[in-house]
Amino acid sequence: MAQAVQALFPGVKLGIGPAIENGFYYDFDMPEQLTPEDLPKIEKKMKEIIMANQKFERTEMSKEEALKLMEERGEKYKIELLHEIEDEKVSFYKSGAFIDLCRGPHIDHTGHIKAFKLLSIAGAYWHGIETNPMMQRIYGVAFENKADLASHLNNFEEAKKRDHRKLGKELDLFSIHEEAGTGFVYYHPKGAMVKNIIESFLKEENLKRGYEFVSIPHIAKIDLWNTSGHTNYYKENMYFMEIDQQDYVVKPMNCPGHILIYKRKLNSYRDLPVRYFELGTVYRYEKSGVLHGLLRVRGFTQDDAHIFCRIDQLEKEILDVLEFVNYIMKVFGFEYEVNLSTRPE
């Protein structure tokens, strides 16, 4: 795709073009503003390249040689990427007159590509940082045969009809306002009602399982976050403010607040387990390039709980939590997988 875009639009600068879970994309810096009408033209050029059976030739060179090559070609983004690579040698792949920095591996030649489709164009800041140049990103998919591609495209069109951003607007459920800040959701009366019904259900289920409700402020002095370690490991995702010449943080998590409530008094082992629950709204800085409807935001409410228990109660508490999570997921019809995260010694 990058080869086709460079051939059709002189002066384009290449960003990155990785494979992703649902296909691939490539970021371009170019003077022309791409439109959906450009995608068929790019696809046509890609088919010409495929029909030519161009070989993919891998070559390795030192970083110094690579930097010189990219400087000659004026590929400023590739130069930046090269400076970020620690290896002394890097690899490029060449097909026809086109060459690109890539770890690989690749197929032998372009003729192996049997079925593909370019799907959409989007804007994306270089490296996802708002102060960097805005790139033009082209998304696409590729399959081993046309039948699989057709099936995927049909599913893709069906999914677009059920896109929550589209439904949210059509059903008048929620909105996000640029003038108020991207990533912050405003629930309309219908949306707020749905949200309230879900929250009421969660409260009832938590009460059934012995959880007690707590509620904590939305901001706290930075000292608390220094103690919890958040400022050491999570600072780039936190919002800061100054009040009465003291630094405060808008809470990115509820954990420290719940712990403060627990430690307010001496607790007997006979009182354990203690289970706290809160529908706590938290605020986390996310780069604008990754914000996505309700799925990736900067302010959201989470059903958060913390359990304080004895060692001999630990196994039962873990099993009960897993059962609780599984129950909630089934109620809402979610399919999910579990990954176990361990703390290194």
Side-chain angles (χ1 to χ4, degrees):
M1 178 174 69
Q3 182 179 354
V5 171
Q6 271 201 333
L8 292 171
F9 302 94
V12 65
K13 303 301 178 186
L14 302 177
I16 58 172
I20 55 177
E21 182 180 359
N22 296 313
F24 61 88
Y25 71 79
Y26 211 111
D27 289 342
F28 303 98
D29 185 357
M30 52 197 299
E32 296 89 348
Q33 181 64 46
L34 291 172
T35 67
E37 289 71 33
D38 290 315
L39 295 183
K41 302 174 190 175
I42 299 171
E43 287 180 343
K44 181 180 178 182
K45 190 64 178 177
M46 291 171 68
K47 290 175 182 176
E48 292 175 7
I49 295 170
I50 290 171
M51 292 297 292
N53 289 327
Q54 292 183 3
K55 288 185 177 181
F56 287 108
E57 300 175 5
R58 177 186 170 93
T59 180
E60 289 190 355
M61 62 183 75
S62 67
K63 276 181 64 173
E64 184 179 348
E65 293 172 317
L67 285 167
K68 183 179 179 181
L69 175 63
M70 292 297 100
E71 286 169 0
E72 291 172 353
R73 289 175 167 260
E75 294 289 0
K76 61 180 182 179
Y77 300 104
K78 299 297 182 181
I79 292 171
E80 185 177 331
L81 291 173
L82 283 167
H83 283 301
E84 295 171 1
I85 297 174
E86 296 181 357
D87 298 335
E88 289 303 314
K89 282 189 173 291
V90 295
S91 61
F92 285 81
Y93 278 84
K94 184 176 183 295
S95 59
F98 179 78
I99 188 168
D100 198 4
L101 175 68
C102 186
R103 182 180 290 112
H106 277 17
I107 53 179
D108 294 334
H109 58 80
T110 59
H112 285 303
I113 302 170
K114 301 301 181 184
F116 72 91
K117 180 69 177 176
L118 300 184
L119 300 176
S120 61
I121 302 166
Y125 291 109
W126 175 241
H127 281 330
I129 300 173
E130 295 176 54
T131 54
N132 283 346
M134 173 68 78
M135 314 286 281
Q136 297 188 68
R137 177 174 294 179
I138 302 178
Y139 286 97
V141 291
F143 287 86
E144 291 185 3
N145 56 68
K146 293 181 179 180
D148 287 346
L149 174 62
S151 175
H152 174 82
L153 293 178
N154 180 65
N155 293 336
F156 181 74
E157 289 301 318
E158 289 298 317
K160 281 170 61 176
K161 297 175 185 176
R162 298 188 295 274
D163 188 311
H164 77 280
R165 294 168 297 177
K166 178 174 179 287
L167 293 176
K169 184 176 182 180
E170 291 176 352
L171 300 176
D172 194 22
L173 299 177
F174 68 89
S175 56
I176 297 172
H177 302 269
E178 184 69 32
E179 62 268 33
T182 55
F184 298 102
V185 181
Y186 289 74
Y187 289 95
H188 307 171
K190 293 178 183 177
M193 178 61 74
V194 173
K195 183 172 179 283
N196 184 62
I197 291 171
I198 294 172
E199 290 179 349
S200 297
F201 167 72
L202 291 172
K203 288 178 180 178
E204 183 180 337
E205 293 300 324
N206 274 274
L207 282 174
K208 286 180 184 177
R209 290 165 174 79
Y211 288 83
E212 299 176 283
F213 293 156
V214 294
S215 180
I216 63 174
H218 288 236
I219 64 172
K221 288 169 62 175
I222 196 170
D223 306 53
L224 178 64
W225 307 100
N226 289 336
T227 301
S228 68
H230 284 86
T231 46
N232 288 335
Y233 300 103
Y234 206 72
K235 189 173 184 178
E236 67 276 9
N237 298 103
M238 298 164 67
Y239 292 102
F240 297 85
M241 65 174 68
E242 186 177 297
I243 302 175
D244 296 335
Q245 297 182 326
Q246 289 192 341
D247 291 328
Y248 281 74
V249 173
V250 184
K251 64 170 180 170
M253 299 179 186
N254 300 303
C255 322
H258 289 195
I259 292 170
L260 283 181
I261 293 174
Y262 177 76
K263 64 181 286 190
R264 75 191 186 279
K265 63 176 183 177
L266 289 175
N267 294 278
S268 169
Y269 70 93
R270 297 185 184 88
D271 298 327
L272 301 177
V274 172
R275 307 181 187 95
Y276 290 153
F277 166 78
E278 178 179 12
L279 288 166
T281 300
V282 295
Y283 305 89
R284 302 175 184 177
Y285 172 70
E286 298 279 2
K287 295 175 181 177
S288 60
V290 301
L291 296 175
H292 182 78
L294 297 178
L295 300 180
R296 198 73 178 265
V297 293
R298 288 173 172 165
F300 61 95
T301 302
Q302 59 182 18
D303 49 338
D304 207 358
H306 295 87
I307 300 172
F308 304 88
C309 65
R310 302 190 307 265
I311 292 294
D312 62 292
Q313 298 170 328
L314 188 59
E315 181 176 343
K316 182 179 185 305
E317 291 300 315
I318 291 174
L319 291 174
D320 286 348
V321 167
L322 292 176
E323 182 279 326
F324 191 9
V325 170
N326 189 54
Y327 170 74
I328 296 296
M329 291 297 193
K330 283 186 175 180
V331 166
F332 288 98
F334 289 128
E335 295 180 0
Y336 66 97
E337 61 181 36
V338 176
N339 293 304
L340 178 63
S341 177
T342 60
R343 178 182 295 177
E345 294 183 3

